[in-house]
Amino acid sequence: MLTIENLQVSVEGKPILKGLSLTVEAGRVHAIMGPNGSGKSTLAHVLAGREGYEVTGGNVRFGDEDLLALEPEERAHAGLFLAMQYPVEIPGVANMYFLRQAINAICKARGQDEIPAAEFMRKVREQARLLGIGEELLKRDLNAGFSGGEKKRNEILQMALLEPRLCILDETDSGLDIDALRTVADGVNRLRSPERAFLVITHYQRLLDYIVPDVVHIMADGRIQRTGGPELARELEERGYEGLLGTKLAA
Amino acid sequence: MATAFDTVKDYTEAEYKYGFVTPVEEDRFPPGLNEEVVRRLSAKKEEPAWLTEWRLAALRRFLSMEVPDWQKVRFAPIDFQAISYYAAPRQKERPKSLDEIDPEIRRTYDKLGIPIREQEILAGVAVDYVFDSVSVATTFKRKLEQLGVIFCSMSEAVREHPELVRKYLGSVVPPGDNFFAALNSAVFSDGSFVYVPKGVRCPMELSTYFRINAAGTGQFERTLIIADEGSYVSYLEGCTAPMRDENQLHAAVVELVALDDAEIKYSTVQNWYPGDKEGRGGIYNFVTKRGACRGKRSKISWTQVETGSAITWKYPSCILQGDDSVGEFYSVAVTNHRQQADTGTKMIHIGKRTRSRIVSKGISAGRSDNTYRGLVRILKSAEGARNHTQCDSMLIGDRCGAHTVPYIEVQNKTARCEHEATTSKISEDQLFYCRQRGISEEDAVALIVNGFCREVMNELPMEFAVEARKLLGISLEGSVG
């Protein structure tokens, strides 16, 4: 579904990704772990099409499309979703209204009819209930004054409703207490399906106790350094980045 | 790091949808302004002698006045002798029924999306259609008459209800009030007149749609709304004009009078042609709007969404005379490209426990300049008066300007005034977030700007809120890139 080949990316002339290759198949959950500054969030942003990153080499295929040639909204239309580390506030725009705009924008881009109001409401309420999101939070301005946990749960709500093919979770566990972490993980697990792939970016092993990955990659210095099964995450937990990668790469 | 706003793309295709010209035969005066022109205009409208004299007095005042220069907006001197002060579609007499209207004019309003008929889409709205200098149609008159509500063109009001016109005309904005009000008083051609009798709650929105069509003219309409004791009326005006290289002057006067316990809600969706991206052409919208809360517990509420015009220069104001009266001003002013706006309000507190609320949202993009200028004056007599002002500016790009110029004068110690102001930018984070969810950049800007303006948009009558929301998006097309 997603094939990254030798991806090289610079920010303000400084190389961050230095020839990263990765293949993600439908139905699989890939975890990407790595120390701070390893390039994890850069990868997430480049895949989603954020400005400010210069791709200096390599290519990325998403399905049969050249992902890097698409605008951010076109990537969303193609089924790519990024749950952000820092969801942004948009004052004056109600959470529910925003959701509806997003869903309809995607429907329109795919040549489908807009979702009828009643069906939309039913779906939102159902998903919100599963994520412990109250009616009040749906009516509030998007992310404005939301707690850390509320923001992250709201990201998962959007993910559930937009029904993407590829979900990228960028440090979704940061700033979450254990209960919120569980709720978010349950939300993600409910969305696992044979057609859908996940790229879970995290610093800690903790999240992977709840979202059990099929494949674990350890990233450092702009490349994937090691790849393995869930046991690799546990090994990392025991030995630390330094023990696993050596002093130079873990810095 | 490169940002979305490093370069603010010059306008590409953001089109002004209303820029067409209607081919109608016009009856018009040659350019020029003098006593003879005013007399001819007054004669053409078969006005009584008192009104002719009133106009002439205003003209004399006008000729003795200077163009004001305290404003932030800048424009080349206007040659008042080069303007034709009367242009009207040629017709033998005003059509007696809506069916007799010139098909060309009918098509114009169809194209503008407000067809002249007592239509189902706008079933709750009565419309007065003003085309250049004259009113060409008014819908739902019968229905309103049954309640005693008078809704007609100003010319008709002068003929049919001279006592009301004479009593109130110029009572809120006197002819010598300011330069453009004096000009308007001398040459006003038409406009809308509303009278709501005691205790009547007007059951439908009243609306006037202003259209400038002819070249080389200005539009000088005069609107007068009187809400008698305990009555309520909601009124809305909309405006558009063809695209032309010349600047055209729109110098209107609007007067509102609210008696005891009466309420007037006045909404404007202003979309005059703004000029092209280089600042050529466009309407000069220099308008005097003022409401007098004469009665106790009366209320006047102004809501404006200003997206058009090359220059917008106006301050819809409230004179809070009656004890416990309330004045409100809700404004969204959007400027893009080379547009300039200097707009705000004046709240003059005279009566006891009078209250006012000001919410102003200014959005600047391109190379435009957007100024909020507001005066809150609390006189000695205004025991316990209160004001709350909130001024928010949003900048799109880095070549535009936003300015806030509040004046607060308090002469009574028991009064309370609060002023809050913020300035923000649409962040790259917000845009990226929206786009990642599938929303295009232009739609994202419209969404964020609409959110920023929500408090004001909520004040608009339902029928128009949707249109106004779209208009905000269209006005900002091409503002980021």
Side-chain angles (χ1 to χ4, degrees):
Chain A
M1 171 184 288
L2 179 74
T3 312
I4 305 172
E5 277 175 4
N6 193 28
L7 183 63
Q8 294 158 53
V9 173
S10 295
V11 175
E12 289 174 338
K14 187 173 174 249
I16 305 291
L17 298 186
K18 304 170 183 174
L20 182 140
S21 297
L22 177 67
T23 302
V24 179
E25 314 79 18
R28 309 270 271 175
V29 175
H30 287 241
I32 295 190
M33 304 182 72
N36 289 328
S38 57
K40 304 189 298 287
S41 284
T42 296
L43 175 64
H45 285 152
V46 169
L47 292 177
R50 187 166 186 151
E51 286 186 42
Y53 298 90
E54 195 196 344
V55 177
T56 53
N59 65 72
V60 181
R61 305 221 42 101
F62 181 45
D64 46 14
E65 291 192 88
D66 175 3
L67 187 72
L68 301 178
L70 302 179
E71 292 292 324
E73 57 269 35
E74 292 170 334
R75 301 181 194 201
H77 303 158
L80 183 148
F81 183 94
L82 170 63
M84 310 226 183
Q85 185 175 5
Y86 304 109
V88 62
E89 298 184 4
I90 304 186
V93 176
N95 195 8
M96 188 112 89
Y97 181 75
F98 179 80
L99 258 174
R100 184 124 190 248
Q101 294 294 108
I103 291 177
N104 284 337
I106 289 178
C107 287
K108 202 176 149 199
R110 293 179 183 164
Q112 299 160 349
D113 288 338
E114 292 194 349
I115 183 170
E119 190 189 334
F120 169 75
M121 293 298 290
R122 190 180 52 72
K123 280 191 167 173
V124 173
R125 292 222 168 92
E126 184 188 317
Q127 291 297 333
R129 188 178 51 78
L130 290 169
L131 288 161
I133 292 173
E135 192 77 3
E136 187 257 350
L137 205 65
L138 293 172
K139 287 181 184 155
R140 264 168 50 195
D141 291 354
L142 180 64
N143 290 322
F146 285 25
S147 70
E150 285 171 337
K151 282 184 183 169
K152 296 297 171 69
R153 274 184 285 159
N154 201 50
E155 292 290 286
I156 305 302
L157 174 68
Q158 293 182 7
M159 192 165 92
L161 289 162
L162 295 177
E163 300 177 358
R165 284 194 294 154
L166 174 66
C167 306
I168 305 170
L169 282 73
D170 185 13
E171 310 249 2
T172 296
D173 50 336
S174 69
L176 290 191
D177 64 32
I178 194 72
D179 293 330
L181 186 71
R182 222 173 254 159
T183 314
V184 165
D186 287 348
V188 171
N189 288 329
R190 271 196 300 277
L191 295 174
R192 291 176 80 152
S193 81
E195 299 80 38
R196 186 172 285 148
F198 289 82
L199 201 55
V200 180
I201 292 170
T202 181
H203 191 80
Y204 300 105
Q205 202 266 336
R206 194 175 68 151
L207 178 67
L208 305 182
D209 288 341
Y210 299 97
I211 305 173
V212 180
D214 300 300
V215 185
V216 174
H217 307 275
I218 310 287
M219 188 170 167
D221 193 31
R223 286 190 199 96
I224 304 286
Q225 303 290 347
R226 285 189 58 180
T227 294
E231 73 289 344
L232 184 58
R234 280 191 291 276
E235 191 188 338
L236 176 68
E237 184 77 357
E238 278 161 31
R239 298 175 56 195
Y241 286 112
E242 217 177 292
L244 205 67
L245 302 170
T247 326
K248 197 162 163 271
L249 286 174
Chain B
M1 194 197 273
T3 75
F5 302 124
D6 271 355
T7 48
V8 175
K9 187 171 64 186
D10 272 329
Y11 225 103
T12 46
E13 290 294 291
E15 268 181 59
Y16 183 74
K17 282 199 309 190
Y18 313 101
F20 61 90
V21 181
T22 308
V24 287
E25 258 191 79
E26 295 247 351
D27 179 9
R28 63 189 290 166
F29 287 6
L33 179 61
N34 52 46
E35 294 210 1
E36 182 48 34
V37 167
V38 171
R39 278 182 206 283
R40 265 185 72 194
L41 178 67
S42 192
K44 185 130 209 145
K45 305 186 90 63
E46 297 164 29
E47 287 174 352
W50 70 264
L51 189 51
T52 313
E53 285 311 313
W54 194 84
R55 287 175 178 278
L56 288 169
L59 178 69
R60 283 172 214 128
R61 283 297 289 273
F62 172 72
L63 294 173
S64 72
M65 293 166 104
E66 301 279 336
V67 183
D69 62 358
W70 46 264
Q71 72 283 7
K72 174 103 173 87
V73 299
R74 287 286 168 261
F75 51 92
I78 299 170
D79 182 356
F80 292 95
Q81 297 300 337
I83 297 172
S84 165
Y85 288 87
Y86 184 81
R90 189 160 286 165
Q91 56 186 17
K92 289 204 173 60
E93 52 195 274
R94 196 168 190 270
K96 293 209 169 41
S97 81
L98 298 181
D99 303 329
E100 295 171 22
I101 290 160
D102 182 338
E104 279 297 340
I105 292 177
R106 188 178 278 285
R107 267 195 289 281
T108 301
Y109 288 100
D110 283 347
K111 267 165 95 174
L112 294 170
I114 31 147
I116 305 180
R117 63 184 119 88
E118 300 190 344
Q119 46 195 325
E120 274 154 36
I121 358 162
L122 291 178
V125 186
V127 186
D128 186 24
Y129 297 82
V130 176
F131 192 88
D132 288 332
S133 301
V134 294
S135 163
V136 292
T138 311
T139 56
F140 289 113
K141 276 175 82 164
R142 266 314 105 65
K143 191 168 173 192
L144 291 167
E145 270 165 20
Q146 287 165 6
L147 292 161
V149 176
I150 303 168
F151 178 41
C152 62
S153 70
M154 185 58 98
S155 315
E156 198 177 334
V158 170
R159 286 194 305 270
E160 310 285 328
H161 309 283
E163 67 300 333
L164 282 172
V165 175
R166 196 166 184 179
K167 183 170 174 189
Y168 290 105
L169 186 72
S171 75
V172 188
V173 180
D177 185 82
N178 67 66
F179 186 80
F180 293 102
L183 174 65
N184 174 284
S185 301
V187 300
F188 76 85
S189 46
D190 217 333
S192 297
F193 176 85
V194 176
Y195 172 79
V196 189
K198 274 184 197 174
V200 170
R201 200 181 158 83
C202 189
M204 52 174 68
E205 305 280 340
L206 304 185
S207 172
T208 302
Y209 196 90
F210 295 102
R211 173 75 179 167
I212 295 179
N213 186 59
T217 60
Q219 193 171 53
F220 307 95
E221 86 274 4
R222 186 114 193 165
T223 297
L224 176 57
I225 299 177
I226 304 142
D228 212 328
E229 291 172 22
S231 68
Y232 168 84
V233 63
S234 171
Y235 176 92
L236 184 130
E237 58 173 5
C239 13
T240 57
M243 295 161 77
R244 289 209 174 87
D245 285 346
E246 61 170 359
N247 292 110
Q248 283 181 285
L249 180 61
H250 173 249
V253 171
V254 175
E255 297 178 279
L256 312 182
V257 178
L259 302 181
D260 285 357
D261 299 295
E263 180 177 349
I264 302 174
K265 191 171 162 57
Y266 192 106
S267 313
T268 304
V269 176
Q270 186 265 108
N271 188 24
W272 294 117
Y273 176 54
D276 69 10
K277 62 181 176 182
E278 302 302 336
R280 275 183 303 254
I283 302 294
Y284 288 165
N285 189 34
F286 300 166
V287 172
T288 307
K289 289 181 167 173
R290 195 175 301 156
C293 283
R294 297 240 164 104
K296 293 185 176 113
R297 297 168 301 276
S298 57
K299 179 175 174 185
I300 288 178
S301 182
W302 298 99
T303 304
Q304 59 173 23
V305 176
E306 306 279 330
T307 59
S309 298
I311 303 178
T312 296
W313 184 15
K314 63 173 206 173
Y315 312 92
S317 305
C318 297
I319 300 170
L320 303 169
Q321 216 173 325
D323 290 347
D324 301 289
S325 60
V326 177
E328 293 176 336
F329 175 73
Y330 299 97
S331 170
V332 169
V334 181
T335 52
N336 197 359
H337 308 304
R338 302 276 181 163
Q339 279 177 282
Q340 307 176 62
D342 191 324
T343 184
T345 183
K346 289 189 268 187
M347 293 290 175
I348 313 294
H349 293 254
I350 302 169
K352 294 187 179 69
R353 297 171 303 277
T354 45
R355 281 168 293 148
S356 63
R357 176 168 154 80
I358 300 170
V359 180
S360 162
K361 306 276 181 179
I363 298 120
S364 346
R367 290 164 173 261
S368 68
D369 235 321
N370 201 325
T371 302
Y372 167 82
R373 189 186 303 276
L375 167 69
V376 176
R377 177 179 288 155
I378 294 179
L379 300 185
K380 258 202 182 96
S381 53
E383 199 70 19
R386 296 185 60 171
N387 159 264
H388 185 268
T389 300
Q390 188 190 328
C391 281
D392 298 322
S393 307
M394 180 178 265
L395 299 162
I396 302 177
D398 54 11
R399 294 192 292 177
C400 53
H403 318 270
T404 301
V405 192
Y407 305 82
I408 300 171
E409 298 172 16
V410 180
Q411 296 167 22
N412 186 308
K413 281 187 206 150
T414 62
R416 254 173 64 189
C417 282
E418 295 164 78
H419 182 96
E420 290 176 51
T422 66
T423 304
S424 55
K425 286 187 111 176
I426 292 187
S427 74
E428 204 191 339
D429 288 346
Q430 286 174 324
L431 282 180
F432 175 65
Y433 192 88
C434 294
R435 296 178 75 188
Q436 208 301 303
R437 299 309 185 241
I439 299 166
S440 71
E441 187 164 47
E442 305 261 276
D443 288 349
V445 170
L447 183 79
I448 295 163
V449 168
N450 269 300
F452 174 72
C453 302
R454 188 172 63 178
E455 270 172 285
V456 174
M457 301 305 252
N458 284 349
E459 294 296 321
L460 282 179
M462 269 269 282
E463 290 87 341
F464 299 95
V466 179
E467 280 307 307
R469 245 178 242 138
K470 278 190 210 148
L471 194 55
L472 280 191
I474 293 166
S475 305
L476 289 168
E477 261 171 33
S479 63
V480 292

